[in-house]
Every structure is written in C-alpha cells, then in structure tokens.
Amino acid sequence: MDAGPWTLLDGIGALVTNDPGIGAGPLGPVRDAALLFGDGVVQWVGHRGREPYGDKVVRIDLDGRAVLPGFVDSHTHPVFAGDRADEFAARMAGQPYTAGGIRSTIAATRAATDAQLDATVSRLLTEARRSGTTTIECKSGYGQTVADELRSLRVAAAHTPETTLLAAHVTPPEFDGRTDDYVRMVIDRMIPVCAPHAKWIDVFCERGAFDTEQCRTVLTTGVAAGLIPRVHGNQLGPGAGVQLAVEMGAASVDHVTHTDTDDIAALAHGTTVATLLPGAEFSTRTPYPDARRLIDAGVTVAVATDCNPGTSYTTSMPLCIALAVREMRMTPDEAVWSATAGGAQALRRTDIGILRPGARADVIALDAPSHAHLAYRPGVHLVSHVWKDGLRQ
Ligand code: NIG
Ligand code: FE
C-alpha cells in the first residue's frame, strides 16, 4: 500500500467519475474539479477549492486537462510468441481471416521459453499502461496442452489478477479430427491443474472451433472448479455463443458481431455484458458489430482491445474508443464509459472504472480538455499521466 503523501490533482478541466451520484448522467462529470487520493484509493472528489487540504498533500496542477478512470481492458491474449504480420499482409491483399492461423501461434508459443513469454507480456502491458490501461485481463490459449496452458497462466498471473484459462481456443494438431477427445482432456486434466491459477474460464464458441455442447461442458467443468465463465461468441458468423453465455450467467460474451433479435433480447434481459472488440474487425477488415442496436436495446456494452497476434495486435484502448465511435455508432460518452466502467462490469469489479471515495486510485489525465478528444483526435497519444493504485507510472 502507498504509505507516501496523498496526492491532490488540482485544476482538472473536466473529470469523468462514472458515478451518477456525483454528476449528471452515467459519466458523472464534474467541471473545474479536483481529486484527492492516498493509500491507494480515492479519498475525495469534487469542485476545486472545496477539497480537504492537509499538510501532507502533494498538489499537481493539471492545467485544465481532462481526467478519467484508467481504462479497463477486459479482453486480451498477450501470452504468445512470434507474430503474424505476413498473415495480416495477405489479408489486406484479399485473403479472408480463418481461425486456422491460431495454430501457427500455438507452435511458436510451445517452442518459446518462459522468459520469452514473460518478456512479451511485459512489453505489451507496458505499452498498454502508457496508453492509459490500468487493469488488464490476460488469457492463456496459445498452449492447448496442460503444461503450456499452466505456464501461460503463471506468466500472466505475475502481471495481473485477471487471468483466464482459454482452454478451448482451437483443437491443437495432435488432436486433429478428434475435438471431442481434446475436450475430454481439457475436462479431465487441464482444468483441474490450471484452475488454481485462473479467475476465469473462456471458450471459443464458433463454427470451426468448438460447438455449443463442447463449450457448455468446458464451462460447466470450469465453474465446478471455481472459475467464472466468459465466452468468445458470434465473432465470425451467427451462432449459439451469445445464448450459451447468457444461459450460463457468464460475466461477458465477447465479439458479438453477428447477432439476431433473439440474441439481443437475451442479452438485454440477462446479466452478461457484451464486450465489443473493434480492433478485430479493423484488422480482419470485416463489418463491425452494431453497438448502437445493442445499447438502444438496453444491453450493457464494454469495449476492449482483444490484443492478440492474429486478429487485433493492438494494446491501445484509445484506438478502440475511436473505432467504437466512428465505426460502431457509439457516442464519445458511451465509448469512454464502455472502456472504463463497462470493462469493470465485464470483470465483475466494483473498485475500478469509477472515481469515488474508496475506489482504487487508477486515474489518467489527457493532454486535452475533454474525454471526447480520445475519439476526436484518433491516433494521437493524448494520455499524459497514469496513476495505478495512486502511484504515478
Ligand atoms: O479473439 N477468436 C478467437 N481468438 C482470437 C484470435 C486468435 C488468433 O487469431 O490468434 C480473437 O479474435
Ligand atoms: Fe479474443
């Protein structure tokens, strides 16, 4: 815990708190604000000049900058080796994306040392932190053996508490044509060994990956081992992923690109967050999910990067916010909420994605007067300050 002096952020031009009790609307905005944090948590939020000001406070004048909660990237796959730039170039020349490329990353990942995997995760998480991400979920899934999934989770757990066993990502080559046998191995051996190192269990429910029954079995076994379910669903085409996620009370169903009226109704009536990953559509040059339709139906939407070497090799939440606004018809307010509070809901966290007394002091400032500039000025590095647990990064 931070035993140092408390920090007062003063001269905030526009503050996003995500607390409707503090300011009007979901973003809970405060103009001409100040924010006090210490001991790792937010201590006070309000209009500048009204703050309690003790003698052990370090004051930082933000000179009119916008301040908001750090981004919560609730979906990444950073434990891998190699890259697939050639596959990307071929796609941009007209080749369609198929999940088959996952196998080349599995081969490279299995051949890598733990130190190499750790170096890649460190590099990607440092990138993410610089662009304002203060909480990140990390999946395994490029091992698909008990030993390789276990070490992937161990590497991830050294960097974040939000670790996910993506046990059923793709059938590995040694189980070619025997997906049911692979699922049996996941249930009998992989989940018991790996569950103590993960918080979440994830599956790729998609034609060509795992079918509904296989996914249900894996998720149910994971839940029995103490993990909480999340699902990759409806990414490459229509399918049962969304319905399965809602039926199982999953924290989140991710991608949600190909949905029908029944899928949207199920999400609107359930507790599962729809996590949209526009970096994937950007990098596969495929149509984006219709966030407007989801939000207008009352669905809770998160935005995340999906950082992985196949479909979305970016750690930039600001890029995803810009894509969400321009390509998925979200407003800047909605996109910023989804990248902070929405991500927190997708991770079932109430201590992050919000700036109110008692919440984690995960805070970012922008070289801009409002959060809308994240979408309005795409591609510009606007994140000027990052505090994680109250500590300047
Ligand atoms: O979320 N959909 C499955 N998994 C990743 C892609 C993995 C890859 O192509 O390496 C995704 O898009
Ligand atoms: Fe993914």
Side-chain angles (χ1 to χ4, degrees):
M1 200 59 72
D2 176 15
W6 288 11
T7 302
L8 176 72
L9 303 185
D10 201 0
I12 299 171
L15 174 67
V16 169
T17 66
N18 285 338
D19 183 348
I22 291 180
L27 292 192
V30 186
R31 291 213 152 270
D32 295 322
L35 177 74
L36 179 66
F37 52 78
D39 297 334
V41 297
V42 175
Q43 300 286 348
W44 180 90
V45 181
H47 288 286
R48 63 183 304 200
R50 305 212 191 130
E51 62 277 359
Y53 200 100
D55 48 346
K56 278 180 49 191
V57 168
V58 174
R59 179 180 169 277
I60 298 174
D61 184 357
L62 287 175
D63 199 20
R65 286 182 173 83
V67 167
L68 57 155
F71 300 124
V72 179
D73 190 349
S74 60
H75 182 139
T76 79
H77 308 243
V79 192
F80 64 84
D83 74 44
R84 283 158 45 202
D86 292 347
E87 182 188 314
F88 173 76
R91 239 181 1 252
M92 296 305 108
Q95 293 281 321
Y97 172 77
T98 69
I102 298 173
R103 279 192 177 182
S104 66
T105 301
I106 288 178
T109 305
R110 288 178 177 179
T113 63
D114 291 7
Q116 286 168 330
L117 296 178
D118 186 73
T120 298
V121 175
S122 295
R123 173 176 62 81
L124 293 173
L125 270 52
T126 300
E127 272 180 28
R129 184 70 57 85
R130 284 200 188 113
S131 58
T133 297
T134 48
T135 301
I136 193 160
E137 179 263 14
C138 295
K139 300 177 198 297
S140 65
Y142 288 116
Q144 307 287 273
T145 64
V146 176
D148 286 300
E149 290 299 303
L150 177 61
R151 74 189 184 115
S152 297
L153 288 170
R154 284 200 162 123
V155 167
H159 297 272
T160 180
E162 302 295 346
T163 54
T164 302
L165 172 60
L166 177 47
H169 195 189
V170 78
T171 305
E174 63 275 19
F175 282 90
D176 226 352
R178 297 188 297 124
T179 299
D180 279 332
D181 291 347
Y182 176 69
V183 168
R184 175 105 332 260
M185 187 282 286
V186 165
I187 287 162
D188 290 345
R189 297 182 40 232
M190 187 185 286
I191 291 176
V193 170
C194 292
H197 303 273
K199 173 175 174 186
W200 309 96
I201 177 101
D202 198 347
V203 292
F204 187 15
C205 186
E206 194 84 36
R207 188 187 300 265
F210 295 89
D211 68 25
T212 319
E213 270 323 300
Q214 291 162 341
C215 290
R216 186 183 281 113
T217 312
V218 170
L219 293 176
T220 307
T221 308
V223 169
L227 305 175
I228 315 169
R230 38 200 328 112
V231 174
H232 279 73
N234 302 58
Q235 174 186 6
L236 306 176
V242 166
Q243 299 284 350
L244 176 69
V246 175
E247 169 201 317
M248 297 219 40
S252 172
V253 56
D254 301 43
H255 287 287
V256 197
T257 308
H258 299 270
T259 48
D260 61 22
T261 321
D262 289 346
D263 296 329
I264 293 176
L267 285 166
H269 292 109
T271 55
T272 301
V273 173
T275 300
L276 308 185
L277 308 166
E281 281 76 32
F282 179 87
S283 179
T284 54
R285 199 180 266 154
T286 49
Y288 290 85
D290 191 346
R292 184 77 273 129
R293 196 164 159 230
L294 290 163
I295 292 170
D296 290 348
V299 176
T300 301
V301 166
V303 166
T305 65
D306 195 17
C307 178
N308 76 80
T311 60
S312 185
Y313 199 4
T314 182
T315 50
S316 174
M317 289 294 278
L319 170 68
C320 294
I321 288 170
L323 292 173
V325 171
R326 176 61 182 82
E327 303 291 344
M328 305 198 313
R329 301 197 294 144
M330 292 172 78
T331 66
D333 281 12
E334 287 167 341
V336 165
W337 188 92
S338 291
T340 52
Q345 275 199 37
L347 295 177
R348 300 225 169 128
R349 297 273 301 268
T350 55
D351 59 332
I352 56 173
I354 187 161
L355 296 175
R356 67 169 171 222
R360 300 306 310 162
D362 291 355
V363 185
I364 64 174
L366 306 180
D367 272 332
S370 99
H371 60 275
H373 284 235
L374 288 163
Y376 176 45
R377 306 200 60 214
V380 179
H381 182 81
L382 293 179
V383 176
S384 59
H385 302 66
V386 179
W387 291 267
K388 165 84 178 150
D389 296 324
L391 300 176
R392 181 85 188 265
Q393 304 295 299

